[in-house]
CSV table of all heavy atoms in Angstrom, one decimal:
chain,number,residue,atom,x,y,z
J,11,GLU,N,-30.9,106.6,5.7
J,11,GLU,CA,-30.5,107.1,7.0
J,11,GLU,C,-30.3,105.9,7.8
J,11,GLU,O,-29.2,105.9,8.6
J,11,GLU,CB,-31.5,108.0,7.6
J,11,GLU,CG,-31.1,108.6,8.8
J,11,GLU,CD,-32.0,109.7,9.4
J,11,GLU,OE1,-32.7,110.3,8.5
J,11,GLU,OE2,-31.9,109.9,10.5
J,16,LEU,N,-26.7,102.1,10.8
J,16,LEU,CA,-26.2,100.7,11.1
J,16,LEU,C,-24.7,100.5,10.7
J,16,LEU,O,-24.0,99.8,11.4
J,16,LEU,CB,-27.1,99.7,10.3
J,16,LEU,CG,-28.5,99.6,10.8
J,16,LEU,CD1,-29.4,98.7,9.7
J,16,LEU,CD2,-28.5,98.9,12.2
J,26,VAL,N,-23.4,97.5,4.8
J,26,VAL,CA,-24.9,97.7,4.9
J,26,VAL,C,-25.4,98.3,3.6
J,26,VAL,O,-24.9,99.2,3.1
J,26,VAL,CB,-25.3,98.7,6.1
J,26,VAL,CG1,-26.8,98.7,6.2
J,26,VAL,CG2,-24.6,98.2,7.4
J,47,SER,N,-17.3,94.6,-0.5
J,47,SER,CA,-17.7,94.0,-1.9
J,47,SER,C,-17.2,94.8,-3.0
J,47,SER,O,-17.3,94.2,-4.1
J,47,SER,CB,-19.3,93.9,-1.9
J,47,SER,OG,-19.8,95.1,-2.0
J,49,ARG,N,-18.6,97.4,-4.1
J,49,ARG,CA,-19.8,98.1,-4.7
J,49,ARG,C,-20.1,99.4,-4.2
J,49,ARG,O,-19.5,99.9,-3.1
J,49,ARG,CB,-21.1,97.2,-4.4
J,49,ARG,CG,-21.0,95.8,-5.0
J,49,ARG,CD,-22.1,95.0,-4.7
J,49,ARG,NE,-22.3,94.8,-3.2
J,49,ARG,CZ,-23.5,94.2,-2.8
J,49,ARG,NH1,-24.4,93.8,-3.6
J,49,ARG,NH2,-23.6,94.0,-1.4
J,50,GLN,N,-20.8,100.2,-4.9
J,50,GLN,CA,-21.2,101.7,-4.7
J,50,GLN,C,-22.6,102.0,-5.0
J,50,GLN,O,-23.2,101.1,-5.8
J,50,GLN,CB,-20.2,102.6,-5.3
J,50,GLN,CG,-20.1,102.5,-6.7
J,50,GLN,CD,-19.0,103.4,-7.3
J,50,GLN,OE1,-18.4,104.2,-6.6
J,50,GLN,NE2,-18.7,103.2,-8.6
J,53,ASP,N,-24.7,100.9,-8.4
J,53,ASP,CA,-24.3,99.5,-9.1
J,53,ASP,C,-25.5,98.7,-9.2
J,53,ASP,O,-26.6,98.8,-8.5
J,53,ASP,CB,-23.3,99.0,-8.1
J,53,ASP,CG,-21.8,99.5,-8.4
J,53,ASP,OD1,-21.8,100.4,-9.2
J,53,ASP,OD2,-21.0,99.1,-7.6
J,64,ILE,N,-37.1,89.0,-9.0
J,64,ILE,CA,-37.8,88.3,-10.2
J,64,ILE,C,-38.9,87.3,-9.8
J,64,ILE,O,-40.1,87.3,-10.1
J,64,ILE,CB,-36.8,87.6,-11.1
J,64,ILE,CG1,-36.0,88.6,-11.8
J,64,ILE,CG2,-37.6,86.7,-12.1
J,64,ILE,CD1,-34.7,88.1,-12.6
J,72,SER,N,-40.3,87.6,6.1
J,72,SER,CA,-40.0,89.0,6.3
J,72,SER,C,-38.5,89.3,6.3
J,72,SER,O,-38.1,90.4,6.0
J,72,SER,CB,-40.5,89.5,7.6
J,72,SER,OG,-40.0,88.9,8.7
J,78,SER,N,-24.6,82.1,4.4
J,78,SER,CA,-23.3,82.3,3.8
J,78,SER,C,-23.3,82.9,2.5
J,78,SER,O,-24.2,82.5,1.7
J,78,SER,CB,-22.5,81.0,3.8
J,78,SER,OG,-22.4,80.5,5.1
J,91,THR,N,-30.7,89.5,5.4
J,91,THR,CA,-31.6,90.4,4.5
J,91,THR,C,-33.0,90.7,5.2
J,91,THR,O,-33.6,89.6,5.5
J,91,THR,CB,-31.7,89.8,3.1
J,91,THR,OG1,-30.4,89.7,2.6
J,91,THR,CG2,-32.6,90.7,2.2
J,100,LYS,N,-46.0,93.8,-2.1
J,100,LYS,CA,-45.0,93.6,-3.2
J,100,LYS,C,-43.6,94.1,-2.8
J,100,LYS,O,-43.4,95.1,-2.1
J,100,LYS,CB,-45.5,94.5,-4.4
J,100,LYS,CG,-44.6,94.3,-5.6
J,100,LYS,CD,-45.1,95.2,-6.7
J,100,LYS,CE,-44.1,95.0,-7.9
J,100,LYS,NZ,-44.4,96.0,-8.9
J,102,GLN,N,-40.3,95.8,-2.6
J,102,GLN,CA,-39.8,97.1,-3.1
J,102,GLN,C,-38.4,97.3,-2.8
J,102,GLN,O,-37.8,98.1,-3.5
J,102,GLN,CB,-40.6,98.2,-2.3
J,102,GLN,CG,-42.0,98.3,-2.6
J,102,GLN,CD,-42.4,98.6,-4.0
J,102,GLN,OE1,-42.0,99.6,-4.5
J,102,GLN,NE2,-43.0,97.7,-4.6
J,104,MET,N,-34.6,95.8,-0.3
J,104,MET,CA,-34.0,94.9,0.7
J,104,MET,C,-32.9,95.6,1.4
J,104,MET,O,-32.2,96.3,0.9
J,104,MET,CB,-33.4,93.7,-0.1
J,104,MET,CG,-34.4,92.8,-0.7
J,104,MET,SD,-33.4,91.5,-1.6
J,104,MET,CE,-34.6,91.2,-3.0
J,114,TYR,N,-11.9,85.8,10.7
J,114,TYR,CA,-12.2,84.8,11.7
J,114,TYR,C,-12.0,83.4,11.3
J,114,TYR,O,-11.5,82.5,12.0
J,114,TYR,CB,-13.7,84.9,12.1
J,114,TYR,CG,-13.9,86.4,12.7
J,114,TYR,CD1,-14.7,87.2,12.0
J,114,TYR,CD2,-13.4,86.8,13.9
J,114,TYR,CE1,-15.0,88.5,12.5
J,114,TYR,CE2,-13.7,88.0,14.4
J,114,TYR,CZ,-14.5,88.9,13.7
J,114,TYR,OH,-14.8,90.1,14.2
Side-chain angles (χ1 to χ4, degrees):
E11 186 172 336
L16 289 171
V26 184
S47 68
R49 298 180 297 173
Q50 59 186 350
D53 282 355
I64 291 169
S72 62
S78 297
T91 300
K100 183 177 179 193
Q102 296 295 302
M104 296 176 210
Y114 300 111

